[in-house]
Amino acid sequence: MTTEKGILRRIYLVAAGMLLFAFAIGFKLINIQVVDGEKYRKLSEERVYKSFVIPANRGNLYDANGSLLATSVPEYDIRFDAVTVSQVDFEKNVKPLAEELSKMFGKSTAHYAQNLRRARAHKNRYYLVARNVSYTQYVKMREFPMFNLGAYKGGFISEQRTVRELPLGKIGERTVGRGQAGLEGAYDDYLKGKNGRRLKQKIAKGQWKPIGDANELEPQDGLDVVSTIDITIQDIAHHALLKQLEKYEADHGTVVVMETKTGEIKAMANLGRTSKGTYYEKRNYAIYESQEPGSTFKLMTMVAALEDKVLDTSDVFDSENGRIKYYDRVVKDSRYGGYGKISAGRAFEVSSNTVFSKFITEGYKDNPEALVNRLNYMGLNEKIGLEIQGEGQPHIPHPDDANWYGTTLPWMSFGYGVTITPLQTLAFYNAIANNGVMIKPRLIKEIRNRDKIVEHYEEGKINNSICSKETASKVREMMKNTVLKGTGANIYTEEFSMAGKTGTCLTGYGKGDGASEYVASFAGYFPADEPKYSCIVVVTKPNRNIGYYGSTVAAPIFKEIAQEIYTDTPTTNEYEGIEVDYKNVKEDYEQFYTTAQKYKSIMPNVEGLPAMDAVSLLENLGLKVVLKGAGKVRSQSVISGKKITSNQTIYLTTT
């Protein structure tokens, strides 16, 4: 009886425990369903459904003539799932596949066959076949043996990403920019577009399947930006600068070419030296580097003195044997013994430091602030205000400054103690070419949504006039004579006229290392009488044992650019007048192909052609083609009629 009671007690305890356990489970279920239900439902949905970002296509960046400066192209990594392919299909296709891979990428058939078999033996489901594959290569690879069976039967895996390509390569790279630099950064809000979203459901093997045909949010492609850059002039400026930098082993240099009447920058080259002695687009020196300009600043002080009527160009000054002492410092002319007694105008042409220091000191010694105010009125203490980040701050000393000395005024007269960027200097020279009207330099012509203009940029005047037409006329004559019979006479030619001013400036002085380094420069415009382009060249720290004067280091670059622009006549477009009816593309393509083969050195117009037809045509001309998209060609990186060379890379974008 006692035993039976004990058994019953134990049964009741177990039953009570089970009941409590059931209550606990019920409580937990209610808690999950009611209290934390929303949390777990969301977690479950996230594991099964996920919203994916659909990247917007970034807009293209064009030069002034419609040639591509920057474009986004698809790039692929191709991988192989060696497990999903059946043994029969693998053995049948492994050798033909290896042969095709060998033809495309250059390594031996045995190399690819061995690696594919090794991936199979190791059950590698993610074997890397090729990285950074172009769209045209990707299209061809999809049709390779085994890969043409698809993802599940053939193990073909492609991973796409979009990369930004610069068709000009390193030429103008700092101006075009990457990330937040250059034009890419300045106009990112236009170029980047808006990303879309699409809901997908997780399926087997870690893959995601779209839910329905429509996106949650459609992506909006970025707008196209048309710059003022002319790739022909950019190429001329780049190579002229590079040649001279290499010759004089300079640390770095910059060139800017600007259209006089509009302020449109046609070229901006910036090259810095590497430790190996080669050069690349290191920094945008034209915009950011604010440094002492040297004698190119004499134009500014001459204009100020003429406007304030402290002298006339015919006033005569004694150069004092090329040496004048101010307190404990001596102003020197580059010519030993000086220039004797010469006019102020002639002092500009031969770049006499002594004469400039004389007439500026005599003219402003009682009121130095008048000179500073005049320079500031002409905008020399202000940034230009380009959209590109990193513009250097100019500096004009003021008598109230703590470091204003008795020698500050005479040294300012020939460009020491002041700082200014090359582009700011060029803007002033361009104003003189415009009879005193200063135009704000600009790098953008318009914003486009395909063929529709969204925003158009007009030239903008910084000041109505920085000086009178009379003053502008006087200094223009001096600049013309500088090339004719002054410090720039070494670049004079009867073929065309130029006007400008040389500059040679010590840099890094006061560091105590005893090694003098120089900045050589030349600024001006051409033709001299009816200016079309203004240009500045600055070469920093050339090897002084080879040469360092602005006349020998910088001025020849200016001349070469002017000469190339003068003699560069557009090639006749051999494809003008060819009508292509795309309703019957096969027949017209054959006609187009025959014509293209006849003129292999000239770029055809492939806009409007189906992408793969255009690729085939251009590859048969010996060109490398990078294709963005798969519709009809909307734009090409080299405009029709331009000369092309074998193995040149051409970028095509499609509709």
Side-chain angles (χ1 to χ4, degrees):
M1 194 72 176
T2 305
T3 303
E4 289 179 358
K5 286 182 179 179
I7 292 171
L8 286 172
R9 192 180 300 113
R10 291 187 183 96
I11 291 172
Y12 293 148
L13 287 173
V14 170
M18 292 178 66
L19 185 61
L20 288 172
F21 184 68
F23 277 122
I25 291 174
F27 176 79
K28 189 64 176 177
L29 287 173
I30 292 171
N31 189 63
I32 291 172
Q33 289 285 335
V34 179
V35 180
D36 297 326
E38 188 62 31
K39 170 186 171 183
Y40 287 109
R41 277 191 293 273
K42 185 177 179 181
L43 184 62
S44 175
E45 287 177 1
E46 287 178 351
R47 289 179 177 176
V48 179
Y49 300 96
K50 186 176 180 181
S51 184
F52 284 78
V53 171
I54 306 172
N57 290 321
R58 190 170 178 84
N60 292 329
L61 182 61
Y62 293 95
D63 89 331
N65 300 313
S67 293
L68 280 169
L69 296 177
T71 187
S72 297
V73 296
E75 200 171 75
Y76 301 83
D77 289 344
I78 305 301
R79 296 181 180 272
F80 175 56
D81 183 347
V83 175
T84 193
V85 184
S86 70
Q87 186 65 27
V88 173
D89 287 336
F90 183 83
E91 292 300 334
K92 177 183 176 181
N93 292 295
V94 65
K95 185 177 179 181
L97 173 59
E99 289 172 349
E100 293 298 327
L101 291 172
S102 177
K103 291 176 186 177
M104 180 172 285
F105 299 110
K107 294 183 179 179
S108 68
T109 299
H111 166 83
Y112 288 107
Q114 184 179 5
N115 284 349
L116 290 168
R117 289 189 179 278
R118 184 182 293 116
R120 177 81 171 180
H122 292 167
K123 298 183 179 180
N124 190 338
R125 309 202 68 166
Y126 205 58
Y127 167 66
L128 179 64
V129 177
R131 195 183 297 277
N132 302 332
V133 170
S134 70
Y135 176 77
T136 51
Q137 289 175 317
Y138 158 74
V139 171
K140 291 176 182 177
M141 290 183 74
R142 286 189 310 184
E143 303 305 317
F144 283 0
M146 190 142 58
F147 288 172
N148 60 6
L149 299 176
Y152 295 107
K153 290 185 178 181
F156 183 74
I157 302 172
S158 63
E159 297 175 335
Q160 179 184 340
R161 60 182 173 276
T162 301
V163 295
R164 198 68 168 167
E165 293 284 350
L166 307 183
L168 292 183
K170 295 297 180 182
I171 297 178
E173 183 180 26
R174 295 302 303 182
T175 303
V176 174
R178 292 184 184 274
Q180 292 304 307
L183 293 170
E184 287 272 31
Y187 293 91
D188 183 62
D189 286 345
Y190 290 107
L191 290 163
K192 67 183 179 182
K194 295 181 180 179
N195 292 335
R197 290 195 307 273
R198 190 169 197 183
L199 189 64
K200 296 184 180 182
Q201 182 180 9
K202 189 173 184 180
I203 58 177
K205 297 187 178 180
Q207 297 187 11
W208 295 81
K209 175 185 176 182
I211 303 297
D213 296 328
N215 296 322
E216 289 180 89
L217 180 65
E218 292 293 337
Q220 296 179 24
D221 291 349
L223 301 176
D224 295 333
V225 174
V226 181
S227 76
T228 62
I229 297 294
D230 183 311
I231 61 171
T232 301
I233 299 177
Q234 180 71 38
D235 185 69
I236 291 168
H238 173 92
H239 287 98
L241 176 63
L242 176 61
K243 182 171 69 176
Q244 204 76 339
L245 291 178
E246 290 176 337
K247 178 180 178 179
Y248 287 94
E249 300 174 1
D251 182 76
H252 62 271
T254 184
V255 169
V256 183
V257 181
M258 186 162 68
E259 197 171 69
T260 306
K261 298 301 180 184
T262 65
E264 292 186 359
I265 295 172
K266 295 300 176 182
M268 185 180 286
N270 299 278
L271 295 172
R273 184 180 173 93
T274 69
S275 58
K276 296 180 180 179
T278 57
Y279 291 88
Y280 73 108
E281 287 263 340
K282 196 173 183 179
R283 298 197 69 172
N284 198 325
Y285 303 107
I287 290 177
Y288 105 91
E289 189 168 45
S290 185
Q291 61 183 355
E292 290 175 315
S295 291
T296 53
F297 197 76
K298 285 174 181 170
L299 177 65
M300 290 71 159
T301 51
M302 175 61 80
V303 170
L306 290 172
E307 284 292 282
D308 289 338
K309 302 190 184 306
V310 301
L311 90 159
D312 190 73
T313 55
S314 59
D315 292 347
V316 176
F317 297 85
D318 190 348
S319 62
E320 305 282 355
N321 294 318
R323 299 289 186 275
I324 299 179
K325 189 172 184 178
Y326 294 90
Y327 299 95
D328 58 341
R329 299 180 68 187
V330 177
V331 172
K332 301 176 183 179
D333 281 331
S334 60
R335 177 177 174 177
Y336 188 78
Y339 301 93
K341 293 182 179 180
I342 56 174
S343 68
R346 183 60 181 162
F348 182 93
E349 296 161 12
V350 298
S351 201
S352 172
N353 293 339
T354 56
V355 171
F356 264 75
S357 68
K358 259 193 172 185
F359 70 68
I360 289 296
T361 301
E362 290 176 10
Y364 293 99
K365 62 183 178 181
D366 295 330
N367 185 17
E369 191 171 4
L371 174 63
V372 175
N373 289 341
R374 174 63 65 178
L375 295 174
N376 290 344
Y377 169 79
M378 295 189 295
L380 292 169
N381 65 333
E382 299 175 358
K383 291 182 178 181
I384 291 171
L386 287 180
E387 291 79 2
I388 288 181
Q389 294 182 8
E391 183 179 359
Q393 177 66 53
H395 173 68
I396 305 295
H398 192 278
D400 292 340
D401 294 343
N403 58 353
W404 180 279
Y405 304 111
T407 57
T408 300
L409 192 60
W411 257 257
M412 280 178 63
S413 70
F414 50 89
Y416 281 76
V418 301
T419 58
I420 191 170
T421 70
L423 187 57
Q424 291 157 2
T425 298
L426 180 61
F428 190 92
Y429 274 71
N430 194 75
I432 297 301
N434 270 327
N435 286 317
V437 178
M438 184 175 279
I439 306 296
K440 180 178 179 179
R442 61 193 180 96
L443 280 157
I444 294 298
K445 289 178 75 74
E446 58 195 26
I447 308 296
R448 286 181 169 270
N449 187 354
R450 297 185 180 271
D451 295 327
K452 181 182 178 182
I453 297 176
V454 175
E455 192 169 341
H456 184 75
Y457 292 77
E458 300 288 347
E459 65 269 18
K461 296 178 182 179
I462 294 179
N463 292 317
N464 289 330
S465 179
I466 61 169
C467 65
S468 66
K469 289 183 179 180
E470 180 185 4
T471 294
S473 178
K474 288 180 179 180
V475 294
R476 282 180 62 172
E477 190 65 24
M478 292 182 218
M479 293 169 71
K480 186 177 179 180
N481 286 334
T482 297
V483 175
L484 185 65
K485 56 183 179 178
T487 55
N490 61 305
I491 66 169
Y492 172 76
T493 177
E494 293 183 353
E495 296 176 16
F496 54 90
S497 61
M498 296 170 283
K501 180 71 187 75
T502 58
T504 307
C505 183
L506 271 169
T507 183
Y509 55 86
K511 291 184 178 179
D513 56 9
S516 299
E517 293 182 305
Y518 295 86
V519 177
S521 59
F522 189 93
Y525 48 83
F526 54 91
D529 296 324
E530 296 182 4
K532 185 174 182 181
Y533 295 104
S534 58
C535 176
I536 187 167
V537 179
V538 180
V539 177
T540 302
K541 299 179 183 178
N543 186 330
R544 59 198 178 108
N545 296 319
I546 303 174
Y548 57 85
Y549 284 110
S551 59
T552 56
V553 177
I557 301 174
F558 181 96
K559 179 184 179 180
E560 182 174 342
I561 292 169
Q563 194 163 23
E564 289 285 342
I565 291 175
Y566 269 116
T567 58
D568 180 60
T569 53
T571 307
T572 301
N573 185 354
E574 301 287 353
Y575 299 92
E576 269 188 274
I578 294 179
E579 296 295 333
V580 181
D581 179 8
Y582 297 108
K583 294 179 182 177
N584 191 357
V585 70
K586 182 178 180 181
E587 179 183 341
D588 293 320
Y589 175 76
E590 290 173 355
Q591 176 194 345
F592 198 82
Y593 177 79
T594 302
T595 307
Q597 286 292 313
K598 183 179 178 182
Y599 304 102
K600 278 194 170 184
S601 63
I602 300 175
M603 181 67 188
N605 180 8
V606 296
E607 292 180 7
L609 273 177
M612 297 317 294
D613 284 346
V615 169
S616 177
L617 185 148
L618 296 177
E619 286 183 343
N620 277 285
L621 292 178
L623 301 172
K624 291 183 177 178
V625 182
V626 177
L627 180 66
K628 174 187 177 182
K632 289 184 178 180
V633 177
R634 178 161 62 93
S635 62
Q636 55 196 69
S637 62
V638 178
I639 60 175
S640 61
K642 288 286 185 180
K643 288 187 176 181
I644 52 177
T645 57
S646 179
N647 219 32
Q648 184 176 347
T649 301
I650 305 296
Y651 293 79
L652 304 179
T653 57
T654 63
T655 54

